[in-house]
Amino acid sequence: MLRLAMCVLLMAGMVRSSAAQQASSNSSTATCSFQDGSQLTVRYKNEKISGKNGPPEGRVWTPGGTPMFLFTQSALTIGNSQIPVGAYSMYVIPRKENWTLILNKNVTEGGKYDEHQDLSRVEMQIGQLSEPNKEFRVIFGHVAPNQCNMRIYFGNVGTWA
């Protein structure tokens, strides 16, 4: 079983990451390829950071006004949850002391968040980055043949679990 652990490794060179800019609009992708050839991909809005688009404290947030989408070709373990092969929407709940990552079964483009379709919720830690990002970013780090770590960056905040 593949295991997806979420953590931030702030020192350059500790992980190999892959984030590819899509040609269409302001969407981006982050991809991790496993040793067996399967992939884990997150598609998200490439939102620029300004004072008025910061994350709402304690509420479900969709950066860029649309959920992030996770596509996995392998079964995963996220926190204590077993996630089958498929597509899922992802949301975050930002707080000052931690963030929560939500994996949801609803993958309807433009659909509203429905907590009854939550598959997993994982508490995330936050840390301060030495240099702020100018836009919202999701990055995967490959740390073992069958393990990728995911980081989410917004401004000078890095999140991990």
Side-chain angles (χ1 to χ4, degrees), residues 24-148:
S24 64
S25 70
N26 61 346
S27 291
S28 289
T29 60
T31 302
C32 182
S33 297
F34 297 111
Q35 189 174 31
D36 66 1
S38 62
Q39 291 187 326
L40 177 65
T41 303
V42 172
R43 188 183 75 205
Y44 62 97
K45 285 275 190 154
N46 199 8
E47 181 176 16
K48 300 274 189 227
I49 297 170
S50 71
K52 56 186 163 192
N53 69 343
E57 175 78 17
R59 293 190 317 234
V60 172
W61 181 44
T62 55
T66 186
M68 297 171 278
F69 291 99
L70 172 74
F71 305 94
T72 179
Q73 297 174 335
S74 296
L76 306 173
T77 300
I78 300 177
N80 294 325
S81 301
Q82 301 300 310
I83 309 301
V85 170
Y88 305 94
S89 56
M90 291 192 330
Y91 304 86
V92 291
I93 301 174
R95 292 183 194 85
K96 287 183 177 138
E97 58 281 341
N98 63 38
W99 285 25
T100 300
L101 176 69
I102 302 168
L103 201 60
N104 189 280
K105 293 183 259 185
N106 182 7
V107 292
T108 305
E109 194 81 42
K112 299 271 185 200
Y113 171 68
D114 177 3
E115 70 179 292
H116 294 92
Q117 294 194 47
D118 285 357
L119 190 59
S120 178
R121 285 182 172 230
V122 177
E123 187 174 306
M124 304 175 81
Q125 306 284 321
I126 63 171
Q128 298 297 308
L129 302 174
S130 58
E131 290 190 31
N133 286 293
K134 295 186 183 341
E135 55 194 28
F136 179 86
R137 294 183 61 200
V138 176
I139 297 174
F140 283 109
H142 206 248
V143 295
N146 291 324
Q147 184 177 358
C148 286

